[in-house]
Amino acid sequence: MGSILSSFSKGNDSLVPDLNLDLENATPTQEEFDLHKRVSSLLQPTDTLLNSLRNYQGCGELIRKAISNPTPENEEEAWKAVQPAVAKLKQYYEYSGALPELLSAFCEGNVRKNLEKFQALTKLLADILDFAFEFDYLKMRTPSIQNDFSYYRRTLSRGKLANEINTHNHQTDLKAAMIEDELATQISLFYAYPTTMLKKVTDVTASFVEKNNLGKSVSECLSGLAAACYHSVTKKRVQRPEMVDFCLRVMVVSIILYDHIDPQGAFNKQSPINIKSSVKAIQTHGINEYTNLMSALRYNTKHLNDDSTPKNVKQLLSGH
């Protein structure tokens, strides 16, 4: 496996390891059915979450009114407006919890064979990475998210509107849940980071690696998924524009995660990731998301500026 993947870094497209994956039409086998069903149920809200983020209506005007003129009426109005918004923010925060269970399935035994064998699970892993990319793109265009949660947290910390909150059971439950285990603090830090969901996915993956001592297996999983997405696009296994964009996004996020998980990163000469071929695929096929994909590689990777990164690779990404 190592010798096959190491060829990915030599700059020859034909040497990129080609996994036999069909990401567009994967269906669960009997062996993966139970896990697929369980994880699918967790990931089911994906489209709903992204649509709610696209249509997110901030509470900025009411919050500004409550701050500039803090009457009980204005504060109550702002508080009531921010409640459903915070419920959505909490839902976004909890999304990536299925990732460790998927990684466990791939890391038992031969990783490459598992990716090919459990293609429906591989597609679910790709769905999580794609969601992270799209979520962060939308989040960065929605500054009201952080403003709304900051107001919510400040109000909680002051203990204001306690009586009003207690008149609504669902609000009481939400407040109790967010105070418990300092969840409000965690969510606040979560939204403060520019690429919120990618950071969460990276942290969850890194924690899984550390707890289970599976760095090599997870790295193989990520480099294998990146290669599968690369071939899906360059060999035209996916034809629909939305699937081409999907595969390119997953390829990029896989590279970013690999660069954070592997001690040597994705850019050195021993890496199984062929950065030149990946960038070429983005340049050739990523018309719709070229700028976003290249920016993600440049600003979200960890080892790009290391001394071990070849100068031509740095130059390849520095101009984008």
Side-chain angles (χ1 to χ4, degrees):
M1 177 67 182
S3 61
I4 295 174
L5 287 178
S6 65
S7 65
F8 196 5
S9 63
K10 296 180 180 178
N12 187 333
D13 288 4
S14 65
L15 296 179
V16 176
D18 189 1
L19 302 184
N20 183 26
L21 295 182
D22 183 354
L23 291 174
E24 190 165 13
N25 302 300
T27 56
T29 63
Q30 189 63 38
E31 189 173 352
E32 62 186 317
F33 182 82
D34 289 342
L35 178 56
H36 184 274
K37 182 179 180 180
R38 185 163 63 253
V39 174
S40 293
S41 66
L42 295 175
L43 305 186
Q44 193 172 12
T46 299
D47 291 338
T48 301
L49 290 177
L50 290 176
N51 285 332
S52 70
L53 186 55
R54 290 187 186 99
N55 300 304
Y56 188 89
Q57 298 295 320
C59 308
E61 185 174 343
L62 291 174
I63 290 173
R64 284 190 294 271
K65 183 179 177 182
I67 292 174
S68 62
N69 185 21
T71 65
E73 293 77 16
N74 288 345
E75 290 186 335
E76 181 179 356
E77 189 177 14
W79 178 259
K80 288 181 177 179
V82 85
Q83 289 295 306
V86 167
K88 289 181 181 179
L89 300 184
K90 183 172 180 286
Q91 192 176 19
Y92 301 152
Y93 173 77
E94 295 174 337
Y95 180 80
S96 62
L99 191 54
E101 197 167 9
L102 282 176
L103 291 174
S104 294
F106 295 126
C107 291
E108 294 180 3
N110 188 304
V111 176
R112 178 175 180 173
K113 288 184 178 179
N114 287 339
L115 288 170
E116 293 178 323
K117 182 179 180 181
F118 303 132
Q119 296 202 18
L121 294 181
T122 302
K123 176 58 165 58
L124 289 181
L125 175 60
D127 286 338
I128 292 177
L129 303 191
D130 180 62
F131 173 82
F133 188 97
E134 290 213 69
F135 180 94
D136 287 343
Y137 172 75
L138 293 171
K139 181 259 183 184
M140 286 189 287
R141 296 165 62 92
T142 315
S144 56
I145 285 178
Q146 195 167 341
N147 296 334
D148 290 352
F149 193 81
S150 294
Y151 178 79
Y152 177 85
R153 190 178 174 214
R154 287 197 306 270
T155 304
L156 275 183
S157 66
R158 293 198 306 265
K160 286 193 173 185
L161 301 175
N163 292 332
E164 287 83 348
I165 297 171
N166 288 330
T167 62
H168 303 283
N169 289 334
H170 72 281
Q171 292 178 350
T172 303
D173 293 341
L174 180 59
K175 179 187 176 184
M178 297 191 75
I179 292 176
E180 185 178 355
D181 297 327
E182 299 182 347
L183 184 56
T185 299
Q186 295 175 27
I187 295 179
S188 181
L189 294 172
F190 172 70
Y191 284 110
Y193 202 82
T195 49
T196 293
M197 194 60 69
L198 182 57
K199 176 69 162 54
K200 178 77 180 293
V201 169
T202 301
D203 289 347
V204 169
T205 305
S207 177
F208 173 83
V209 166
E210 183 178 358
K211 289 179 180 178
N212 298 281
N213 194 27
L214 288 172
K216 182 179 179 181
S217 295
V218 172
S219 294
E220 287 186 5
C221 178
L222 293 169
S223 59
L225 182 57
C229 291
Y230 169 85
H231 281 295
S232 293
V233 171
T234 59
K235 294 185 177 180
K236 300 187 184 302
R237 291 172 181 165
V238 292
Q239 298 286 334
R240 294 185 295 119
E242 58 269 30
M243 276 304 297
V244 172
D245 291 343
F246 172 86
C247 287
L248 289 175
R249 290 192 298 265
V250 174
M251 180 187 74
V252 165
V253 178
S254 298
I255 292 172
I256 293 170
L257 281 180
Y258 181 98
D259 194 52
H260 282 267
I261 297 304
D262 188 88
Q264 305 304 317
F267 300 102
N268 70 86
K269 293 181 179 180
Q270 286 72 44
S271 167
I273 304 293
N274 189 327
I275 296 297
K276 292 181 181 179
S277 293
S278 300
V279 170
K280 183 179 179 181
I282 294 171
Q283 291 172 334
T284 304
H285 304 281
I287 299 174
N288 296 327
E289 299 198 47
Y290 174 79
T291 300
N292 295 334
L293 293 169
M294 294 301 293
S295 295
L297 283 175
R298 182 182 182 189
Y299 295 114
N300 293 293
T301 47
K302 182 178 180 180
H303 294 280
L304 176 60
N305 294 316
D306 287 2
D307 293 338
S308 60
T309 300
K311 290 184 179 179
N312 59 351
V313 172
K314 291 181 180 179
Q315 292 171 352
L316 185 65
L317 292 173
S318 64
H320 303 280

